[in-house]
Amino acid sequence: MSSFRFKNPDEKPGYGEEDSNFESAISSSFVYNPNMSLDLQSQRNKLPITKHRNEVLYLCEKFQTLILVGSTGSGKSTQVSQMLLDSGLCQCDKSIVITEPRKISAITLATRVAQEQKTNLGQLVGYSVRFDNCSQPSTKIKYITEGILLNEMMSNPLLVNYSVIILDEIHERSLMTDILMGLIKKVLKKRPTLRLIILSATLDSSQLKSYFNLNQSNDPANDTATVLGIEGRSYPTKIYYIKDPTPNYVDESINTVLKIQQGGTLGDILVFLTGKEEIMQAVNTLDDYNVKNPNEKIKLLPIPMHGTLTNDEQLKAFRPAPRGYRKVVFSTNVAETSVTISGIVYVIDCGFVKLKWFNSKFGADSLITVPISKASAVQRAGRAGRERPGKVYRLYTKEAYQNLINATPPEMMRSDLTDVTLQLKAIYINNVLRFPFLSPPPAKNLLYAMEMLKALEAIDKFGNLTDSFGTIMAELPLPAKHSRILLKSAEMGCSSEIISILAMLQLQDAFVRPKYGATIQKAKIQHRNFEVAEGDLLTLLNIYNGFEKNQYSQQWCHRFFINHNELCKARKIRSHLIDLMRTSKIPLKSCKGNTRIIIKSIASGLFKNAAYLHYTGVYRSVGLDEDLYFHPKSVLNYVNQPQWVLYDELLETTKTYIKNLVEITPSLLLEVAPHYFATPTLQNR
DNA sequence: GAGCACTGC
């Protein structure tokens, strides 16, 4: 093991160290609550926000928009709504709505607030998320996910049911929050009595303030937006930087864990790495260490934490370590935003993150590893010291920290905007280029979105939604290309099969893929029962049909190594789609397994995503001459190698992978999309 | 042989 590479904080005061109280934001679920033993009212009285009650109410009355900056633990997500309700500030026939980026936050917050208000959930206080509406028209405080509010705006653009809109977790800058902010800014101009409260954990509030300030004069007395800062609630945290840059942060993180271990002080460790592979590697290394050092007084207990783990596997990270063990959680960015693990005293931060970045040239996402932002570094550090003083080890130099960008570019600037553009058009935001974006996306991305929508015939050459497709496509909870497949399949008479496929495409993975031992092969053999030469999408249909035929049985799923939870989700999505089709008068028809028709309707939505087998033996994309590789999960890796395929998704990681494939013939492309294909392109191949 | 930050309608 190499020597300790961090500067001793006592070595040179003021260098290599920082004392600070972190204003850390965490998702509202699983928040550590040091006052758990107190009764509800005493707990509420102890929250930092309670001291600011009069200020909040006064500012809400005086200003149309209030930007409230404060860390979690300040109580802003649960208390602000109740303050407004209790004060009677909200008009009697209207309610208060709070948006959350994740379902789990909306549900847990509503549950908590209902308890505090001493009512049953779903009456005075409720929530609404996809597939789960627990509210009534009389509900006064409603926690909802962001997408629900956007959906409500389609039928009610001025949101007249609400007197106060609270947007939570704004610092995350999700695609949805940015869209909502732009839309609500317009609503504020038309409804002067509406109040907007923005809850954010970061300190960069000046940009938000000027964005929402509708004051046209030079007199600040007429400002319509203001900022209020709330102190957080945490212990001091010491920060250590590495002396020299490390060539391998995974190894370095292990060294640091062992140094903490040698230091002897107790406390769990949270290590931030970028991906599953790194995490597995780190966990294995610590396992080896345990085998070689069986006599440690306190044993290290390595635990992986990432999004693709099952719920049971994730729970391990939340359980306290058994006596004689110290938890070492190796995590991706999930632990920065989505989940909070209690008991963390030490944080080790590798300084990198994997980000999805949309590339308008390929019309696809790249997954790239980039240095984190300062805001992220602060956020990660804030995971230590929530329950007692903590220590943070940054696996980068102080100089590197100072050179980090302030904040991660918002999703809006690095996402495919096709679906968002379609939704905006449905709420009469026709000129998307002139939408008041807080962070304007690259013009290229907007142009790509329009071209895409035009190719899918959702908009006409003037950019207006088409009557035939556009209006309905915007209302379906599907990606635009999938909505088109559905509408086409209804014309062709196979919509029943297509909705099964589209529902299955929304799952993470329908197959259970064991990680160890003989079951790996067993699972693969069972999966062969569903795999067909036509490709992945038809394989998905086979799985769903089997599931349906066997009465959605758990035993059946178990036998064939199919993920029962995921399949149940597909069933739910499918029946939701059937409901929507009924209201939109889209016929539900089965082609009785006629694969030719099914593939034809798929092609009518994915025609842009064609690839052919080049004579070099690699697949090439049509038009881009980019080498493409079948994703390792594709069944076409071992079923056959067709001349032409369509893909649902293209993802650039170490190679350019195409996912969810269907075998096709080039003539089919001309048949389904004559409006798109310049014939010579295909004939020249 | 090789791959998957995270959400959501």
Side-chain angles (χ1 to χ4, degrees):
Chain A
M1 281 308 143
S2 68
S3 66
F4 199 41
R5 297 185 64 188
F6 291 92
K7 284 199 184 281
N8 179 344
D10 305 316
E11 202 175 278
K12 268 187 201 168
Y15 187 75
E17 164 203 0
E18 259 171 30
D19 274 336
S20 63
N21 274 304
F22 277 101
E23 299 274 330
S24 68
I26 50 179
S27 96
S28 310
S29 49
F30 312 117
V31 173
Y32 169 69
N33 181 352
N35 300 317
M36 197 77 97
S37 55
L38 301 177
D39 69 81
L40 282 180
Q41 193 52 48
S42 328
Q43 284 186 37
R44 288 179 71 187
N45 291 343
K46 281 207 182 251
L47 290 168
I49 184 108
T50 309
K51 290 198 285 271
H52 297 275
R53 182 191 153 91
N54 289 340
E55 235 173 318
V56 170
L57 292 176
Y58 169 77
L59 293 174
C60 262
E61 197 145 24
K62 190 159 185 298
F63 294 92
Q64 199 177 12
T65 301
L66 169 61
I67 298 148
L68 212 56
V69 181
S71 70
T72 314
S74 66
K76 57 191 189 333
S77 304
T78 54
Q79 301 307 307
V80 174
S81 55
Q82 296 184 75
M83 287 174 184
L84 292 167
L85 183 76
D86 295 345
S87 72
L89 205 76
C90 99
Q91 299 143 34
C92 54
D93 59 325
K94 299 190 193 302
S95 51
I96 301 166
V97 69
I98 306 100
T99 67
E100 296 295 327
R102 286 168 289 279
K103 282 184 183 183
I104 177 98
S105 322
I107 297 170
T108 48
L109 286 169
T111 311
R112 174 78 189 183
V113 171
Q115 279 171 7
E116 292 186 2
Q117 288 285 322
K118 301 188 177 64
T119 68
N120 288 331
L121 188 58
Q123 294 172 2
L124 183 71
V125 182
Y127 67 86
S128 179
V129 301
R130 189 186 192 189
F131 297 133
D132 194 2
N133 180 7
C134 184
S135 72
Q136 299 168 351
S138 63
T139 298
K140 287 288 163 201
I141 299 180
K142 205 162 82 172
Y143 286 85
I144 67 177
T145 38
E146 294 164 342
I148 299 263
L149 192 65
L150 187 65
N151 224 9
E152 285 184 12
M153 290 188 93
M154 289 202 191
S155 52
N156 189 349
L158 291 182
L159 294 167
V160 292
N161 302 331
Y162 304 120
S163 56
V164 183
I165 297 170
I166 303 174
L167 302 179
D168 201 1
E169 312 268 24
I170 286 304
H171 56 276
E172 286 185 20
R173 295 296 302 275
S174 73
L175 191 58
M176 276 298 190
T177 7
D178 275 24
I179 290 288
L180 285 177
M181 285 197 282
L183 289 170
I184 292 171
K185 184 178 174 173
K186 284 166 169 273
V187 178
L188 287 170
K189 288 181 191 160
K190 293 188 180 147
R191 283 187 57 200
T193 57
L194 177 70
R195 289 294 179 266
L196 172 67
I197 302 177
I198 302 271
L199 305 181
S200 173
T202 52
L203 298 165
D204 183 26
S205 49
S206 54
Q207 189 196 9
L208 275 174
K209 186 186 162 181
S210 59
Y211 181 72
F212 281 110
N213 196 359
L214 308 177
N215 179 8
Q216 303 279 353
S217 71
N218 288 324
D219 184 359
N222 298 328
D223 279 358
T224 68
T226 190
V227 179
L228 175 64
I230 308 282
E231 70 277 17
R233 194 173 57 176
S234 62
Y235 295 89
T237 308
K238 265 201 169 116
I239 297 190
Y240 303 87
Y241 293 91
I242 207 166
K243 282 177 192 163
D244 307 300
T246 169
N248 182 334
Y249 56 72
V250 180
D251 289 351
E252 196 61 48
S253 71
I254 299 283
N255 292 345
T256 312
V257 166
L258 295 180
K259 279 294 163 186
I260 293 171
Q261 173 81 341
Q262 282 156 27
T265 10
L266 290 177
D268 294 339
I269 305 173
L270 173 62
V271 185
F272 284 101
L273 296 174
T274 71
K276 186 168 144 186
E277 209 166 311
E278 288 171 9
I279 288 166
M280 307 261 274
Q281 192 194 329
V283 167
N284 289 340
T285 312
L286 267 202
D287 279 335
D288 290 350
Y289 175 86
N290 280 336
V291 172
K292 286 179 198 148
N293 299 273
N295 299 323
E296 294 255 355
K297 228 190 284 162
I298 303 284
K299 279 197 167 51
L300 293 166
L301 181 66
I303 296 171
M305 182 75 200
H306 51 82
T308 47
L309 293 175
T310 63
N311 286 350
D312 282 352
E313 290 169 320
Q314 283 204 4
L315 276 177
K316 282 185 198 153
F318 297 113
R319 280 193 211 109
R323 189 175 289 273
Y325 281 90
R326 182 210 292 274
K327 257 196 321 194
V328 185
V329 180
F330 291 95
S331 175
T332 60
N333 232 25
V334 265
E336 191 187 310
T337 50
S338 304
V339 302
T340 300
I341 300 157
S342 61
I344 298 299
V345 176
Y346 300 96
V347 163
I348 300 172
D349 172 13
C350 77
F352 288 89
V353 67
K354 251 183 214 167
L355 279 188
K356 222 161 144 176
W357 209 287
F358 177 71
N359 179 339
S360 61
K361 189 182 147 221
F362 296 143
D365 289 315
S366 303
L367 209 52
I368 49 171
T369 305
V370 291
I372 57 170
S373 63
K374 279 193 187 118
S376 256
V378 170
Q379 204 82 298
R380 289 178 174 190
R383 297 316 209 180
R386 297 201 65 78
E387 293 154 44
R388 58 191 172 95
K391 284 184 182 170
V392 177
Y393 297 91
R394 290 183 170 155
L395 305 182
Y396 38 96
T397 62
K398 183 156 192 179
E399 198 192 358
Y401 171 77
Q402 280 156 347
N403 289 331
L404 293 177
I405 52 168
N406 286 330
T408 311
E411 255 181 50
M412 181 66 77
M413 302 181 71
R414 46 186 182 86
S415 299
D416 182 352
L417 301 172
T418 307
D419 300 331
V420 158
T421 306
L422 181 61
Q423 282 174 308
L424 286 178
K425 286 183 180 283
I427 19 186
Y428 308 106
I429 310 291
N430 228 332
N431 192 340
V432 185
L433 287 164
R434 277 174 47 203
F435 186 75
F437 293 105
L438 180 56
S439 306
K444 266 191 202 161
N445 294 10
L446 283 170
L447 294 176
Y448 171 87
M450 314 262 240
E451 267 172 37
M452 190 67 188
L453 290 175
K454 228 176 120 219
L456 296 172
E457 294 179 299
I459 58 174
D460 59 22
K461 60 181 170 188
F462 307 108
N464 298 318
L465 287 186
T466 55
D467 295 331
S468 49
F469 289 112
T471 350
I472 306 178
M473 279 171 71
E475 283 168 16
L476 290 171
L478 293 170
K481 58 189 173 185
H482 292 178
S483 301
R484 181 177 160 97
I485 294 176
L486 175 54
L487 295 179
K488 283 288 183 182
S489 73
E491 289 173 12
M492 297 180 201
C494 61
S495 53
S496 176
E497 285 82 359
I498 286 297
I499 53 171
S500 303
I501 296 172
L502 298 181
M504 293 290 285
L505 278 174
Q506 296 198 17
L507 308 180
Q508 298 262 12
D509 198 347
F511 285 144
V512 174
R513 302 173 199 265
K515 286 173 196 118
Y516 317 98
T519 43
I520 298 180
Q521 279 311 316
K522 261 193 206 161
K524 278 191 179 169
I525 291 164
Q526 292 305 334
H527 293 164
R528 292 280 145 86
N529 288 307
F530 305 97
E531 291 162 1
V532 285
E534 287 90 345
D536 300 294
L537 299 194
L538 275 296
T539 301
L540 290 177
L541 178 61
N542 282 341
I543 300 169
Y544 190 83
N545 285 345
F547 180 58
E548 201 173 46
K549 233 177 252 158
N550 290 277
Q551 286 82 45
Y552 315 107
S553 136
Q554 191 161 8
Q555 287 78 6
W556 180 84
C557 286
H558 192 256
R559 180 150 70 95
F560 289 102
F561 290 85
I562 302 290
N563 191 329
H564 185 252
N565 276 338
E566 289 277 276
L567 265 286
C568 290
K569 197 176 144 196
R571 187 187 172 190
K572 238 169 154 180
I573 295 171
R574 190 176 185 278
S575 73
H576 185 214
L577 287 174
I578 292 177
D579 291 345
L580 292 171
M581 286 165 73
R582 199 172 295 132
T583 41
S584 305
K585 304 214 161 39
I586 304 168
L588 180 68
K589 277 191 214 145
S590 167
C591 62
K592 309 272 189 292
N594 181 336
T595 46
R596 204 188 53 82
I597 301 185
I598 296 171
I599 292 172
K600 191 173 165 185
S601 43
I602 291 169
S604 65
L606 303 185
F607 55 85
K608 281 192 81 158
N609 303 342
Y612 61 96
L613 186 59
H614 196 247
Y615 63 82
T616 52
V618 211
Y619 282 82
R620 282 278 172 91
S621 63
V622 173
L624 285 169
D625 285 341
E626 172 81 7
D627 282 355
L628 303 174
Y629 297 86
F630 289 179
H631 192 274
K633 272 185 187 171
S634 174
V635 303
L636 291 186
N637 283 309
Y638 20 85
V639 176
N640 73 343
Q641 225 190 16
Q643 200 59 39
W644 283 80
V645 291
L646 287 180
Y647 54 89
D648 183 48
E649 250 184 290
L650 187 150
L651 183 74
E652 231 187 335
T653 53
T654 48
K655 282 181 185 168
T656 309
Y657 287 101
I658 49 179
K659 297 168 78 171
N660 293 320
L661 312 174
V662 187
E663 179 180 12
I664 47 138
T665 56
S667 59
L668 185 65
L669 293 182
L670 296 173
E671 202 181 318
V672 296
H675 65 288
Y676 179 75
F677 278 103
T679 338
T681 330
L682 284 175
Q683 285 173 348
N684 289 344
R685 301 286 174 209

